[in-house]
Amino acid sequence: MDLIIGAGISGLSYAAATQHDYLILERDNAIGGYCKTIYDGDYIWDYSGHFFHFQHEYIKDYVMEKLSEEEVLKVNKYTQIYYKGLHVDFPFQTNIHQLEKEEFIDCLYDLFTVEENPKVETFKEMLYAKFGKSIAEKFLIPYNSKLYATDLNNLDVDAMGRFFPYADKEQIVRNFRNSTNKSYNSFFIYPKQGCIKVVEAVASRVDTSKIAFGESLIGVDLQRKIAQTNKREIHFDNLISTIPFPLLMDMAGMDYDRSIYSWNKVLVFNLGFDSKGPERQNCWLYFPDPELIFYRVGFYDNILGQDKTSLYVEIGFNHNDPIGDTSLLLERTLNDLRKAGIITDQKLAAHSDIVMDPAYVHITKKSEEDKKLKQKQLAASGVYSIGRYGDWKYCSLEDNIHDAFTLAKDLQ
């Protein structure tokens, strides 16, 4: 029997694909994990912004088979950066020509005077080496420092993988005249009733009688292949875990260096206002300014075509730092939204807050090497760790589905 830990997108995808008997343990009272959706009057909010950029046609077909065309929007992505009062198209590095003249010249000069093929070992060093001092320090470093809530020298060069918008000098210059800003996710698919509808599309292939809600893993005996939960002991042939990888190692009693695993946590404010604000076009905005508390603000109202401003606002914290009083943070957030011109005289009509912990993992050479070693040891006992947090990586929801399907096939 396959014991699956977590009824989020990864755990449900594995259950839907496996040919084995299975049981899913879910500590919450509902499926979805971080992909739940909140409904509050006129407002539809996910736990945070989750949008679907399908790279695999078979996964797109798999999900869309259970959703009617009327339930889904195809949205052309439009995103900008709020920089010193300007709205600069994203990505910053290919749109430096939209800056004030002196800043544009600084960026261009630094871009063309960087050392050729320097040796870099960290994410921060890569930003300087690839784009020069000005582009790095005006946007890439302050924004990503707010996002990851850590010194970027702590991160691996390839910490963001394919999700980092690389561009060479020729692409940057070409974009001065012909701005396309195309990327791997130039459009996205989003259900009108929120991200949970994609989760439900996958869950419709799962035997819901085999989901044990309110039951969580508290220990794993690797030798005896027994899982201890808050309610019972369960023998497994394979254990498929989607919980954070360091937590799994703790539960399995593995010896590892905890100092090499770190992450950020994100406080998400979902905010609904009584009327439409000034921002009518962007799907989301990026904020590198350290004086503004948030690093990103998304506009559900623009995505869904609503007539009242509906936002998600993301604030990053290092996992070691306390978040503090959320009511004070909400007040600061509303003030900063006014400073940035996102709201004016709109009145807050509804709100919720969620803490995602972990949110973005800090990928380093040491953590990657240790993770691969420990995953090999766990696999020898029939324990497999998948998903964004189980595999301790930066990935999309589609990647989670793909990885779960791949593992199910490998374990047939």
Side-chain angles (χ1 to χ4, degrees):
M1 189 267 292
D2 289 354
L3 183 63
I4 303 166
I5 313 301
I9 195 72
S10 299
L12 292 169
S13 295
Y14 179 86
T18 186
Q19 296 181 6
H20 302 162
D21 189 21
Y22 60 85
L23 174 67
I24 304 174
L25 303 184
E26 173 50 58
R27 68 178 180 179
D28 205 348
N29 60 4
I31 64 172
Y34 280 167
C35 294
K36 293 185 180 69
T37 300
I38 300 165
Y39 303 102
D40 189 335
D42 295 331
Y43 309 102
I44 298 170
W45 303 315
D46 294 327
Y47 271 26
S48 187
H50 295 297
F51 308 107
F52 300 91
H53 320 285
F54 291 107
Q55 304 292 300
H56 299 283
E57 199 66 27
Y58 83 97
I59 293 179
K60 178 182 176 182
D61 291 344
Y62 184 86
V63 170
M64 297 303 293
E65 182 184 357
K66 298 293 183 176
L67 294 169
S68 68
E69 289 185 11
E70 292 74 24
E71 293 178 88
V72 177
L73 295 168
K74 181 177 178 181
V75 182
N76 289 319
K77 188 188 75 169
Y78 187 76
T79 60
Q80 291 183 303
I81 299 151
Y82 181 84
Y83 179 77
K84 295 185 178 181
L86 298 174
H87 283 70
V88 178
D89 288 342
F90 183 86
F92 186 88
Q93 52 268 35
T94 60
N95 291 290
I96 54 175
H97 58 289
Q98 297 177 12
L99 301 174
E100 297 291 345
K101 181 179 177 181
E102 290 303 316
E103 290 205 279
F104 171 48
I105 291 171
D106 288 343
C107 290
L108 200 60
Y109 178 81
D110 290 348
L111 177 66
F112 278 88
T113 56
V114 293
E115 179 185 348
E116 291 295 328
N117 302 315
K119 183 179 180 182
V120 295
E121 296 183 352
T122 72
F123 189 66
K124 192 172 190 177
E125 290 175 357
M126 180 276 291
L127 296 178
Y128 277 118
K130 181 74 175 174
F131 300 105
K133 183 175 186 293
S134 292
I135 291 176
E137 293 184 355
K138 291 178 190 301
F139 175 70
L140 295 173
I141 290 174
Y143 174 76
N144 285 292
S145 295
K146 287 175 75 175
L147 167 64
Y148 283 105
T150 192
D151 184 337
L152 300 183
N153 275 324
N154 295 331
L155 303 183
D156 185 63
V157 171
D158 199 33
M160 293 181 67
R162 79 174 192 274
F163 299 94
F164 184 83
Y166 287 100
D168 58 32
K169 294 172 185 175
E170 289 73 19
Q171 288 174 295
I172 292 171
V173 172
R174 195 179 307 121
N175 209 52
F176 295 170
R177 184 177 293 275
N178 182 25
S179 295
T180 60
N181 300 322
K182 287 185 178 179
S183 65
Y184 78 96
N185 59 351
S186 57
F187 70 90
F188 59 86
I189 289 171
Y190 187 68
K192 295 178 182 177
Q193 293 298 308
C195 176
I196 192 62
K197 294 302 175 182
V198 169
V199 178
E200 291 173 355
V202 174
S204 66
R205 280 107 163 173
V206 173
D207 183 347
T208 55
S209 70
K210 295 182 178 180
I211 304 177
F213 291 107
E215 188 164 0
S216 54
L217 183 71
I218 61 175
V220 182
D221 185 328
L222 295 176
Q223 289 188 326
R224 297 168 59 212
K225 302 185 77 168
I226 290 177
Q228 179 69 49
T229 81
N230 58 329
K231 296 182 178 180
R232 54 182 161 164
E233 287 188 347
I234 304 172
H235 181 272
F236 61 85
D237 296 305
N238 296 303
L239 187 148
I240 316 302
S241 173
T242 67
I243 63 176
F245 189 64
L247 183 57
L248 175 64
M249 290 192 287
D250 288 338
M251 291 183 179
M254 301 182 78
D255 183 27
Y256 70 100
D257 183 354
R258 286 168 176 76
S259 70
I260 65 175
Y261 289 90
S262 65
W263 58 94
N264 82 341
K265 53 190 175 186
V266 170
L267 170 63
V268 182
F269 283 120
N270 288 310
L271 307 175
F273 296 86
D274 63 350
S275 59
K276 191 81 166 175
E279 177 53 60
R280 305 295 177 99
Q281 190 171 16
N282 273 292
C283 300
W284 53 87
L285 282 169
Y286 301 92
F287 294 85
D289 185 348
E291 296 303 310
L292 298 174
I293 192 171
F294 36 77
Y295 63 84
R296 183 167 56 191
V297 175
F299 300 86
Y300 286 118
D301 52 313
N302 291 341
I303 292 167
L304 294 172
Q306 297 170 317
D307 60 2
K308 297 178 183 178
T309 293
S310 179
L311 309 176
Y312 66 89
V313 181
E314 297 172 322
I315 306 168
F317 297 82
N318 188 277
H319 76 280
N320 288 319
D321 295 338
I323 288 178
D325 187 337
T326 55
S327 63
L328 294 178
L329 291 171
L330 175 59
E331 184 178 348
R332 164 93 187 269
T333 296
L334 292 172
N335 286 334
D336 284 357
L337 288 170
R338 292 186 188 98
K339 287 180 188 176
I342 293 173
I343 58 172
T344 52
D345 57 353
Q346 288 78 32
K347 300 294 188 295
L348 186 65
H351 72 277
S352 72
D353 59 80
I354 298 111
V355 175
M356 301 174 68
D357 182 12
Y360 292 87
V361 306
H362 295 160
I363 297 173
T364 70
K365 282 186 171 62
K366 287 184 177 179
S367 67
E368 279 293 284
E369 290 171 357
D370 190 67
K371 178 190 76 174
K372 290 174 183 176
L373 176 64
K374 298 300 192 297
Q375 284 181 330
K376 187 174 180 180
Q377 294 172 3
L378 288 165
S381 298
V383 177
Y384 304 90
S385 194
I386 62 171
R388 182 179 183 128
Y389 303 111
D391 202 15
W392 206 247
K393 64 184 180 181
Y394 193 135
C395 68
S396 69
L397 291 173
E398 183 193 30
D399 293 330
N400 292 332
I401 297 172
H402 174 73
D403 292 349
F405 286 177
T406 300
L407 180 62
K409 184 177 180 180
D410 290 345
L411 296 180
Q412 282 182 7

